[in-house]
Amino acid sequence: MTRPDTAAVRTQAPVLVVDEELPDQWPDRTFLTSPAWLKMMGDRPPGRGHFFRLVQDGVTVAATTGYLIEDPDCYESFNIHDLLWRDPPVFPDQGRPPARGPERAACFPFLAIVQPGYDCDVVTPGQPGEEAVRGLLAEVTRWARRAGAVCAAVLYAAGTALPAALDAEATWHRRRGTVRSVLDVPAGGFDDYVAGLRKTSRQKVRWDLRDLAGAGVRTTRADAAGLGATEVRLRMNLVAKYGGYSSRDVEWSRLDRLVALFPADRLRLFRCATADGDIVAFSLFIVYGDQWHVFWCGFDYTNPASRRTYFDVMFYAPVRAAQTEGVRVIDYGLGYEQSKKWRGCHGAQRDIWVTDLGGGLTPW
């Protein structure tokens, strides 16, 4: 842990403060940079986590998080070599890399400036200003060079101030990343939601609801205080289906942290059940202001009644409930598959910037 003394902090010039644990002075401005989320998921990215704050006269003027990653074989969404040069690319909308890349080991260790949840922003006490963002980036890259990183990368830059600050610096090079899937909740409720979809999507919604009703399957909101074994079991089914790397113990631990950090009134749980009461699907959202952020879902793939439940438990039932609560946005996370697009999401761009700190990557 690196901390300047009190006298050093209380100066007219901004000073970089670096912590390895979340400091008390962390601004709470966005969900993915909020203290509760960082405590919840801060161990998800690979590498050693750091909290960077630019402090002036005892006040945090800009802050972000970063991970010093040494493992060349780390998970692809945090792996700078894979993100820049893997062919086929990590995300389908990236396009093929422009050239064959350097040896994988030549990119490590590197500093990934990112928050868990695959997003990156710089938080400030008020609206983020480009000057404060540029100042923080300059100090963080100096710190990364001293820490032995061969490069630094901003992964999945969000907002407007951070991309503008990066574009203004010639040492930062932009590459296409991917998008987040975001759904704007219509003020007119579910009917307006369906009416706003393209014609083929409207037909798919009608087919989904018809088939679910015919099978006696119904999705309802459930008491989040009842989260437990059912959700972990269905969640593990999803992890296994897509070749995930989690374990039951890991998911139970994550659930324990979730309910410790987010009270039940901050959670929205939806369960899809058969007429016999068998739960065949669920979704779980976290509330932050006028936004919902999807956290978990899971399905009982061994039960034929789980067919067509995905969109009902992830979109149709949540949209109905969200509108009644005045929710403005539902964030479905990274990726913009056709299925999300057809159910009303739009893609918010999340690009990648990289800066070479040691000179070895410049030819590439």
Side-chain angles (χ1 to χ4, degrees), residues 16-169:
L16 181 68
V17 180
V18 184
D19 291 288
E20 293 179 3
E21 295 183 3
L22 185 70
D24 294 336
Q25 301 85 356
W26 194 263
D28 188 352
R29 299 286 297 178
T30 70
F31 173 69
L32 292 173
T33 60
S34 66
W37 178 253
L38 294 175
K39 289 176 184 177
M40 173 74 205
M41 298 295 287
D43 63 345
R44 185 68 179 269
R48 301 192 305 278
H50 297 84
F51 299 89
F52 300 104
R53 292 185 297 127
L54 200 60
V55 178
Q56 188 169 25
D57 295 331
V59 176
T60 297
V61 296
T64 196
T65 59
Y67 295 81
L68 195 60
I69 300 177
E70 299 178 350
D71 180 10
D73 297 315
C74 69
Y75 186 58
E76 59 185 12
S77 298
F78 294 108
N79 189 312
I80 190 60
H81 187 276
D82 285 352
L83 288 168
L84 297 185
W85 290 292
R86 201 183 80 173
D87 190 3
V90 171
F91 302 107
D93 53 337
Q94 275 188 291
R96 304 180 77 87
R100 183 173 176 270
E103 293 297 320
R104 180 177 294 271
C107 302
F108 296 83
F110 86 101
L111 180 69
I113 305 171
V114 66
Q115 282 91 51
Y118 307 112
D119 221 46
C120 184
D121 209 347
V122 171
V123 285
T124 60
Q127 290 297 319
E130 189 176 327
E131 183 178 354
V133 173
R134 291 174 68 177
L136 179 63
L137 287 172
E139 292 296 332
V140 169
T141 51
R142 277 193 281 269
W143 178 92
R145 185 179 287 107
R146 293 195 300 269
V150 299
C151 66
V154 173
L155 305 182
Y156 318 118
T160 57
L162 179 56
L166 290 161
D167 278 338
E169 296 290 340

Side-chain angles (χ1 to χ4, degrees), residues 262-279:
F262 295 94
D265 64 1
R266 291 275 311 277
L267 303 175
R268 297 294 181 269
L269 173 64
F270 298 88
R271 286 175 173 165
C272 192
T274 66
D276 295 330
D278 297 326
I279 299 173

Side-chain angles (χ1 to χ4, degrees), residues 288-343:
Y288 186 87
D290 60 358
Q291 304 170 15
W292 286 4
H293 296 262
V294 67
F295 179 69
W296 261 5
C297 65
F299 305 87
D300 185 354
Y301 297 111
T302 64
N303 192 327
S306 68
R307 184 173 179 266
R308 291 194 183 273
T309 58
Y310 174 80
F311 294 110
D312 196 37
V313 81
M314 288 292 288
F315 286 85
Y316 310 154
V319 166
R320 284 190 177 97
Q323 185 270 334
T324 65
E325 295 186 20
V327 174
R328 182 178 56 86
V329 166
I330 302 178
D331 176 10
Y332 284 93
L334 210 63
Y336 190 36
E337 296 87 354
Q338 191 176 56
S339 58
K340 293 180 181 178
K341 183 177 182 179
W342 283 359
R343 261 64 179 193

